[in-house]
Amino acid sequence: MPFTIAIDGPAASGKGTISKAVATHFGYAHLDTGLLYRAVGAKVLAGADAIEAAQALRAEDLESGDLRTADVAQAASKVAVIPEVRSALVDFQVAFARRDGGAVLDGRDIGTVICPEAEAKLFVTASAEVRATRRFKELSEKGSEQSYDDVLSDVIARDKRDSERATAPLKPADDAVLVDTSDLSIAAAIEAAIATIRDRM
């Protein structure tokens, strides 16, 4: 029987880490929907048309090793404002969400647009400064030369673009439970998420 868990939130809020842990805990399939947009963004950087790339996207495109770079993240945020791109990727996500055995999807508009009927909804967030610190650490470990100020500017710009876009803006669903990870350890955030989901079962 399908049971869908929708986890939304801005970049570097911890939603990906929480989603994977939740999926493992409950034995559900997991989809990082941001990877769909990153895969399209990567194709656009390689010269493809955004809409055609979205319409032709395959599951194996999500396994490319270069989808976590800062350039791809920016490209993903830009293609995500194109309504035809979003529309092409909705069917992929909806089918995944209603698979038997349960599914966890994380992204920006899962609880509001993709799976408004999801049995459990979380909105994971943290302050822009905390998220920039996390992203800066992650990028530094990969050898990036970006300064903290640049990373913070990117985070703020991306939040603005994601929350102000006309189609499927980033915002909590009315019935989503808010999890603010600014002052939580990873373990505490995961525990809070699992407890919330158990209450919905």
Side-chain angles (χ1 to χ4, degrees):
M1 187 176 156
F3 187 97
T4 306
I5 300 169
I7 302 183
D8 291 307
S13 57
K15 70 177 181 296
T17 302
I18 290 170
S19 299
K20 286 183 198 124
V22 162
T24 301
H25 179 85
F26 291 106
Y28 289 179
H30 172 248
L31 178 64
D32 171 359
T33 63
L35 277 184
L36 300 176
Y37 294 94
R38 282 174 179 265
V40 173
K43 286 179 181 291
V44 168
L45 289 177
D49 173 77
I51 297 167
E52 287 171 13
Q55 289 168 342
L57 198 69
R58 297 169 305 166
E60 45 269 37
D61 293 329
L62 307 185
E63 289 158 26
S64 171
D66 63 350
L67 298 184
R68 296 286 179 191
T69 67
D71 286 348
V72 169
Q74 287 299 323
S77 185
K78 285 170 186 164
V79 301
V81 303
I82 304 169
E84 294 87 349
V85 168
R86 302 196 74 80
S87 164
L89 298 179
V90 164
D91 295 345
F92 188 107
Q93 296 170 72
V94 170
F96 187 96
R98 298 319 286 171
R99 58 172 50 204
D100 281 334
V104 180
L105 288 83
D106 74 77
R108 301 280 196 282
D109 61 350
I110 310 304
T112 52
V113 175
I114 306 298
C115 304
E117 306 302 319
E119 285 76 10
K121 297 178 190 176
L122 301 178
F123 191 86
V124 181
T125 190
S127 73
E129 292 75 16
V130 167
R131 291 184 290 118
T133 300
R134 290 173 185 166
R135 184 50 54 84
F136 176 67
K137 183 171 179 282
E138 188 185 304
L139 291 170
S140 298
E141 284 167 1
K142 290 178 182 166
S144 168
E145 308 261 313
Q146 252 190 314
S147 70
Y148 168 78
D149 288 343
D150 285 345
V151 174
L152 178 60
S153 295
D154 281 350
V155 164
I156 292 168
R158 193 165 169 195
D159 286 352
K160 184 174 163 62
R161 192 160 55 229
D162 288 346
S163 59
E164 292 180 359
R165 65 186 176 217
T167 306
L170 167 68
K171 63 176 183 180
D174 292 338
D175 53 348
V177 174
L178 195 70
V179 179
D180 189 325
T181 66
S182 298
D183 300 314
L184 291 180
S185 67
I186 291 169
I190 290 167
E191 207 173 295
I194 289 171
T196 298
I197 293 157
R198 274 216 197 93
D199 287 346
R200 297 288 183 278
M201 287 179 159

